[in-house]
């Protein structure tokens, strides 16, 4: 068992009268850090499971167990809130947590994946006020604390100069005193590199934000960083030159780099979504861990892949069926059901989700909705999802309309969140505009992909306690 730190709880647990393997709701801690996260719906993803399993089958009825606060989950147990308190650990008082400064945070999909993997989000930057409101609302619903250093509303470009630059430097210096590592994560807006977007490249307003983010990294020198963007930045020739220019700047600033074109399907997300991921580590951080260089194959990109894309695309997925309202179709054999739209709709109970009724209701055009076959996503505008297949890239703008597999309407926000693999407890405030809701969903990094990337970084640094 890994060494305990102040991030661990010392908890009194008792058996809960539910069926074997049935998850319960986690309780509330009394440590001053807020409520514990609800237990995950899929026990296979529960990092505390190996340590909890021995106690499931053996007495006594009450027992003590240690587990990380970030992995506060229950497995056939009920947490007794009044008996929880922080561990007092002798030695270094510095928390062993890894702190993260998040930029272009949106409503926190990427942040949540890192946080649930053991990182602590201490600072958030998001210029859009509605996104910031939704970020706070979602965290409150998940019983997560506010970021320690607050939520900045500055344009990232402004953080590279003057008082904003100095203030950010002070916060990073403060974080270095309290945390073992400081990292930056962010996915700058991507329309200027997207084939289906503005495609203006580095000269576009959004393109310039990518350069600003890289400049911020070079100035502030975090121990590691993650940069996420669309495939077009990596694959389109004129944009690739800009991408290589950004990499040269990072290498000159002392970073060792590794990159990968990922597909969200690989991590269990029911969505065919390619993204380029660039990760960098300060050379001295690697040396301190006995890592001399990031040679090809050194970074374990493959470790948390659940479904290699070559295999995914070889399955006999259903193609199209005639649209029938509220019809029932059995799941075909020979496909991974957990990658299907319908599986996630059921798992997240989307019809009873707080955002279930949040969808665009057109005054006309219903005949056109009915005319599109289930599974026909070949057209640029109207795409109807197939219930027993994964979704095309969640892109709900530029006249792209995604239709429900067996209902005469567009997808709801609850369904879009499920397609982005968010926990069913994640929700948006009801007063947020529909346009804002769908925009932030489409912009976000799928939760399971972000969680896997965070775990891969920890694996590489030799600090993933869930292994």
């Amino acid at each position: 068992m890994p060494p305990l730190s102040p991030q661990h709880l010392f908890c009194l647990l008792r058996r809960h009268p539910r069926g074997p393997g049935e998850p319960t709701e986690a309780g509330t801690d009394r440590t001053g850090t807020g409520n514990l996260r609800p237990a995950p719906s899929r026990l296979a993803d529960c990092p505390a499971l190996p340590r909890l399993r021995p106690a499931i089958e053996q007495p006594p009825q009450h027992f003590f167990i240690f587990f990380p606060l970030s992995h506060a989950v229950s497995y056939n147990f009920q947490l007794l809130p009044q008996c929880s308190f922080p561990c007092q650990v002798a030695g270094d008082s510095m928390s062993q947590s890894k702190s993260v400064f998040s930029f272009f945070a949106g409503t926190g999909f990427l942040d949540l994946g890192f946080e649930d993997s053991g990182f602590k989000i201490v600072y958030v930057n998001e210029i859009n006020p509605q996104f910031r409101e939704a970020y706070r609302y979602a965290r409150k619903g998940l019983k997560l604390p506010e970021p320690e250093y607050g939520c900045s509303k500055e344009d990232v470009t402004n953080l590279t100069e003057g008082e904003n630059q100095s203030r950010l430097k002070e916060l990073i210096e403060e974080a270095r005193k309290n945390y073992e590592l400081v990292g930056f994560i962010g996915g700058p807006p991507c329309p200027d590199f997207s084939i289906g977007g503005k495609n203006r490249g580095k000269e576009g307003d959004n393109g310039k934000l990518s350069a600003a983010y890289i400049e911020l990294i070079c100035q502030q020198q975090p121990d590691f960083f993650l940069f996420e963007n669309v495939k077009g930045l990596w694959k389109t020739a004129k944009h690739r030159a800009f991408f290589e220019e950004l990499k040269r700047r990072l290498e000159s600033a002392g970073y060792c780099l590794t990159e990968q074109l990922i597909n969200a399907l690989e991590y269990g997300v029911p969505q065919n979504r390619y993204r380029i991921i660039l990760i960098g580590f300060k050379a001295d951080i690697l040396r301190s861990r006995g890592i001399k260089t990031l040679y090809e194959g050194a970074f374990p990109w493959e470790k948390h892949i659940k479904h290699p894309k070559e295999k995914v695309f070889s399955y006999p997925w259903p193609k199209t069926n005639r649209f029938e309202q509220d019809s029932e179709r059995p799941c075909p054999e020979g496909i991974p059901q957990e990658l299907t739209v319908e599986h996630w709709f059921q798992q997240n109970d989307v019809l009873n989700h707080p955002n279930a009724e949040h969808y665009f209701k057109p005054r006309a055009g219903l005949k056109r909705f009915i005319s599109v076959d289930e599974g026909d996503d070949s057209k640029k505008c109207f795409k109807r999802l197939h219930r027993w297949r994964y979704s095309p890239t969640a892109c709900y703008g530029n006249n792209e309309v995604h239709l429900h597999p067996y209902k005469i309407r567009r997808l709801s926000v609850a369904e879009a969140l499920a397609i982005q693999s968010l926990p069913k407890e994640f929700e948006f405030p009801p007063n947020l505009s529909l346009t804002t809701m769908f925009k932030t969903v489409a912009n976000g990094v799928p939760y399971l992909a972000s969680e896997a990337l965070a775990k891969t970084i920890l694996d590489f640094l030799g600090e993933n306690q869930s292994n």
Side-chain angles (χ1 to χ4, degrees):
M1 181 175 175
L4 296 175
S5 77
Q7 291 295 317
H8 287 71
L9 293 179
F10 183 36
C11 296
L12 174 64
L13 300 173
R14 70 180 179 195
R15 300 188 187 284
H16 191 276
R18 294 197 181 196
E22 187 176 351
T24 66
E25 290 293 312
T28 303
D29 75 90
R30 303 299 182 191
T31 66
T33 57
N35 294 336
L36 299 180
R37 289 288 315 284
S41 58
R42 289 166 296 127
L43 295 173
D45 288 345
C46 169
L49 182 57
R51 278 172 277 174
L52 292 177
R53 188 183 294 281
I56 294 173
E57 300 167 351
Q58 304 202 7
Q61 291 295 307
H62 295 79
F63 53 89
F64 291 98
I65 191 164
F66 293 97
F67 60 94
L69 177 58
S70 60
H71 295 154
V73 295
S74 58
Y75 181 87
N76 201 28
F77 299 104
Q78 182 180 30
L79 178 65
L80 298 185
Q82 66 273 21
C83 299
S84 300
F85 55 93
C87 288
Q88 299 300 316
V89 182
D92 191 353
S93 61
M94 177 187 287
S95 166
Q96 295 304 301
S97 285
K98 288 75 182 161
S99 65
V100 166
F101 286 64
S102 174
F103 301 88
F104 315 102
T107 46
F109 297 6
L110 183 61
D111 294 12
L112 185 60
F114 269 74
E115 201 150 28
D116 283 353
S117 300
F119 291 90
K120 185 174 181 181
I121 306 298
V122 297
Y123 171 95
V124 170
N125 167 265
E126 174 50 57
I127 193 172
N128 187 309
Q130 291 185 305
F131 289 0
R132 290 199 305 273
E133 176 192 354
Y135 186 101
R136 293 190 180 97
Y137 185 93
R139 288 185 70 83
K140 186 175 181 181
L142 293 170
K143 308 297 189 282
L144 291 171
E146 288 282 323
E148 184 176 348
Y149 303 138
C151 187
S152 166
K153 61 182 180 180
E154 289 293 333
D155 185 304
V156 167
T157 305
N158 295 337
L159 296 177
T160 62
E161 55 192 18
E163 293 183 6
N164 290 318
Q165 179 190 18
S166 300
R167 175 55 180 158
L168 181 59
K169 184 177 181 180
E170 291 173 1
L171 293 177
I172 292 170
E173 290 174 351
E174 181 66 22
R176 291 194 186 283
K177 298 175 184 177
N178 300 316
Y179 298 92
E180 182 185 3
L181 292 174
V182 175
F184 281 13
I185 61 174
C190 57
D192 287 325
F193 306 113
S194 174
I195 296 173
K198 299 175 183 178
N199 209 27
R200 294 173 184 165
K202 65 179 183 179
E203 301 303 328
D205 291 340
N206 290 321
K208 292 176 181 177
L209 289 175
S210 290
Y213 179 48
I214 298 305
E215 177 63 23
L216 197 66
I217 293 168
C218 294
Q219 286 181 356
Q220 301 292 352
Q221 296 281 294
D223 299 316
F224 70 91
F225 73 85
L226 179 144
F227 172 95
E228 179 266 355
N229 217 286
V230 292
K231 180 171 65 173
L233 176 61
W234 181 81
K235 194 168 185 179
T236 305
K238 70 173 183 178
H239 302 328
R240 181 62 183 256
F242 175 57
F243 183 61
E244 295 298 327
E245 177 188 329
L246 297 179
K247 287 165 56 180
R248 286 192 293 273
R249 291 170 61 185
L250 289 162
E251 288 171 335
S252 297
Y255 285 93
C256 297
L257 307 177
T258 180
E259 66 193 69
Q260 185 86 343
L261 183 67
I262 69 166
N263 191 311
L265 283 165
E266 298 176 293
Y267 306 107
V269 180
Q271 182 188 162
N272 184 12
R273 186 187 187 97
Y274 283 98
R275 288 296 184 267
I276 181 62
I277 305 295
L278 176 66
I279 295 174
F281 300 91
K282 286 292 291 179
D284 58 339
I285 292 295
L286 297 186
R287 284 195 295 269
S288 69
R289 284 163 168 74
I291 304 170
K292 294 182 179 180
T293 182
L294 266 177
Y295 58 86
E296 186 174 354
F299 190 76
W301 286 103
E302 312 292 328
K303 184 164 185 179
H304 292 282
I305 287 179
K306 301 175 183 177
H307 305 275
K309 58 179 178 291
E310 295 80 9
K311 190 173 182 179
V312 169
F313 295 137
S314 71
Y315 289 118
W317 298 102
K319 299 189 181 302
T320 60
N321 295 101
R322 182 180 176 182
F323 172 72
E324 296 179 25
Q325 185 177 8
D326 295 327
S327 61
E328 295 184 5
R329 300 186 197 277
C331 181
E333 295 182 358
I335 63 171
Q337 187 171 333
E338 64 271 21
L339 288 182
T340 66
V341 166
E342 182 66 12
H343 171 83
W344 278 85
F345 284 1
Q346 293 176 12
Q347 177 173 284
N348 279 24
D349 194 17
V350 294
L351 295 180
N352 295 306
H353 189 276
N355 299 126
E357 296 300 318
H358 292 125
Y359 56 87
F360 288 103
K361 303 174 179 67
R363 299 176 183 177
L366 291 181
K367 287 185 178 180
R368 190 171 182 183
F369 281 20
I370 296 172
S371 70
V372 182
D373 288 342
E374 180 176 349
D376 184 1
D377 59 5
S378 62
K379 300 177 179 63
K380 180 173 176 60
C381 186
F382 288 90
K383 301 176 186 289
R384 169 157 273 126
L385 277 56
H386 198 294
R387 73 191 79 189
W388 297 121
R389 201 171 69 213
Y390 49 81
S391 169
T393 302
C395 181
Y396 309 120
N398 296 319
N399 297 317
E400 190 164 322
V401 176
H402 288 201
L403 303 176
H404 192 283
Y406 46 87
K407 295 188 180 295
I408 310 175
R409 61 169 174 80
R410 295 188 183 196
L411 292 179
S412 70
V413 170
E415 290 153 357
L417 288 170
I419 288 168
Q420 284 279 51
S421 70
L422 270 301
K424 68 179 180 180
E425 298 84 8
F426 190 101
E427 61 183 85
F428 289 145
N431 62 327
L432 205 65
S433 73
L434 281 176
T435 299
T436 298
M437 288 186 187
F438 280 104
K439 182 178 180 180
T440 188
V441 170
N443 288 350
V445 178
Y447 166 72
L448 286 183
S450 64
E451 182 182 51
L453 291 169
K455 288 179 178 178
T456 306
I457 291 173
L458 288 178
D459 287 335
F460 178 68
L461 296 175
E463 307 198 17
N464 190 350
Q465 295 183 1
S466 69
N467 286 342

